[in-house]
Structures are given as structure tokens and as C-alpha cells.
Amino acid sequence: MTSTAFGHTRRGLSETSSTNDVAAAWAREGAPHGALVVADTQTKGRGRQGRAWQSPAGEGLYMSLVLRPPIPPMAAPPLTLAVGLALLDAARTFGASAHLKWPNDLLADEPGGERRKLAGVLTEMATSGMRIEHVIVGIGINIAAERLPEAVASSATSLWRVTGRSLARAEVLATLLTALEQRYDQFVREGSAATVREWKRESDLVGRRVTLRGNDMSHTGIVEDLDDEGALRLRDDAGVIHRLWAGDLQP
Ligand code: BTN
């Protein structure tokens, strides 16, 4: 099945600050559901928790999709999990041994066995009252890099490093758009519980002992569940259950 709505309307830029910012401005001007912004390089690529996303030209896919899901804002968080599943589908299509990391990283195994970050997702939402105006799904995938930028050299990997294949950005984009559209359609059609169920089936997170760090918090304990809204339920060592939406997960 080929992608239809996603990427049908698109803007391709040789250089921009952040495709998420371009897509958000375009969404405010009325960009349709599925509109796509892709850039060869970003000068201010952003990651989660205020981090930078290194975006060297010719080495990765830097893209943002405008989505207009017909759901209330409080139902939106698991959409990120659907995006993670789409990344997993696409990476596996290319032969990568890929794994989900909550909430929205994709890791992959290098030939030496080390598991490193292959892709990241930055989801940003604009609401008006109880309505979603738009969701911007920003995705960065390392494709061609043999050596990753210094700042992430020990923690990141690329499709080239994990598959040994030289993949064209257009091919990665087309495969990912198809996967994104399928996972998005399933999320809207069947509801978030189905997406969360599939996400849990693809991960070994539940039952593991982890530390979750955010800007102002840190919790260590056992993951009891990922609930139907996509929140992580973590029981800390004092027996307190925390319901968490974001953070950096460490083993
Ligand atoms: C993360 O892992 O922290 C999320 C990284 C998201 C990076 C992508 S690259 C395209 C889009 N534009 C941005 O500025 N960020 C996202």
C-alpha cells in the first residue's frame, strides 16, 4: 500500500532553522493534514528536553508532518507511540535490528552488538480550547553517517552503520511516510489502546527496573505498565506509583 495523504503537499528546503518551526508556521496558515516539510540541513534542529538535534547535510532525514487528528488534546500523547511504531516498521524494512525506547526514540543494534539511537521524534501540539489545531510530528533519522557528529558519537548510530546499506533519503522518506500513514490510520480508527497494546508487544519495558529523569524530576523503580493513554506507571522503591508522560529513560 502506498502513502496517499501524507507528503502529498510538501515543501523541500535546502537549509532551514528547524522543520518543526516551518511546519508550525505553515499549519497556522492552513497547511492541510499530511503536509510535509523536509530539509537537507537544519541550523537549529531541536530535540526533546531543550536539546539540539545535529542535522548535517547529506547524512540524515529531517522532516516534519502537519497532522490534524480528530481527537481531543488529552487523547494525543499515544500518537507519539504510533509514530515510534512507524519508525520501527520502516527501519525493519531496511533490515535494521531496531527497538523502541519510551517515549519516542528508535534504537538499533550495531554490528558489534552495541545498541544506539537511530532516530528521534519531537511532537508539538497547538490547541484551541478542547480542540487540536494541529500536531507537528518532527522526525530525525540518521541515514548515511559513518561517523556521527562529535556530541553524539558514542550514543547514536545510522542506517548505514546498522545495515551496511547506502540508502537514498527519498527511499527512506517514502517508506516512512507509508508506515506513518498506516500507523496513524490505525490510531484514529481503533483508538489509542490498540496502539499502546502493539507498542507494548514490541518492547520489553513493562516489568523492567529503570530510572526516568526529566527537567525537574528523577524516579527509579519498576515499570508496572504503560496505560491506555500512553503514560508510564512506575512504582518507586517506596511503593509510590508515578504516572509519567516524558523523560529520559535509563536502565
Ligand atoms: C529527540 O530525539 O530528542 C527528538 C529529535 C527530533 C529531531 C527532528 S529533525 C526534524 C524536526 N525538526 C526539528 O527541529 N526537530 C525534529
Side-chain angles (χ1 to χ4, degrees):
M1 182 175 142
T2 46
S3 172
T4 50
F6 286 14
H8 188 72
T9 306
R10 63 175 72 188
R11 287 184 181 170
L13 307 165
S14 52
E15 179 180 306
T16 192
S17 51
S18 156
T19 55
N20 265 35
D21 294 344
V22 176
W26 193 15
R28 287 191 291 273
E29 289 161 11
H33 173 73
L36 171 73
V37 178
V38 189
D40 295 344
T41 183
Q42 302 180 112
T43 53
K44 286 190 185 150
R46 292 186 278 113
R48 290 184 303 114
Q49 316 229 16
R51 284 189 289 256
W53 182 264
Q54 309 281 333
S55 315
E59 308 229 314
L61 173 62
Y62 318 115
M63 58 165 277
S64 300
L65 266 180
V66 176
L67 299 182
R68 300 189 185 276
I71 54 172
M74 59 195 272
L79 182 53
T80 297
L81 302 181
V83 173
L85 284 166
L87 277 168
L88 184 71
D89 297 339
R92 284 182 175 162
T93 301
F94 296 120
S97 168
H99 310 271
L100 298 165
K101 182 181 175 196
W102 188 88
N104 50 13
D105 284 351
L106 189 73
L107 311 182
D109 298 327
E110 298 213 307
E114 239 187 294
R115 193 164 289 183
R116 292 177 170 194
K117 181 161 168 171
L118 179 64
V121 182
L122 178 66
T123 307
E124 297 176 313
M125 178 165 66
T127 58
S128 128
M130 289 307 288
R131 216 169 61 85
I132 293 179
E133 289 288 346
H134 62 254
V135 176
I136 305 299
V137 175
I139 299 175
I141 307 179
N142 303 320
I143 298 180
E146 185 170 355
R147 286 176 58 82
L148 278 300
E150 193 61 37
V152 293
S154 61
S155 59
T157 190
S158 66
L159 278 172
W160 191 89
R161 286 174 64 109
V162 298
T163 67
R165 294 174 63 186
S166 292
L167 295 159
R169 191 183 70 177
E171 187 185 357
V172 177
L173 176 60
T175 302
L176 182 58
L177 286 174
T178 301
L180 282 165
E181 189 152 356
Q182 285 171 356
R183 289 292 185 179
Y184 174 84
D185 286 349
Q186 181 190 34
F187 170 78
V188 171
R189 200 177 52 240
E190 297 175 25
S192 66
T195 294
V196 172
R197 207 165 41 242
E198 294 219 4
W199 200 99
K200 284 196 278 196
R201 201 162 40 221
E202 290 290 355
S203 117
D204 61 355
L205 181 60
V206 175
R208 261 178 49 204
R209 183 176 174 80
V210 298
T211 295
L212 187 75
R213 291 209 174 84
N215 289 335
D216 300 317
M217 58 90 182
S218 175
H219 298 292
T220 297
I222 303 292
V223 177
E224 292 230 311
D225 198 10
L226 200 60
D227 66 26
D228 286 354
E229 281 85 47
L232 191 109
R233 288 170 59 84
L234 185 136
R235 180 188 292 272
D236 72 16
D237 295 342
V240 178
I241 304 267
H242 301 269
R243 199 161 175 257
L244 302 158
W245 296 96
D248 273 332
L249 205 63
Q250 275 136 21

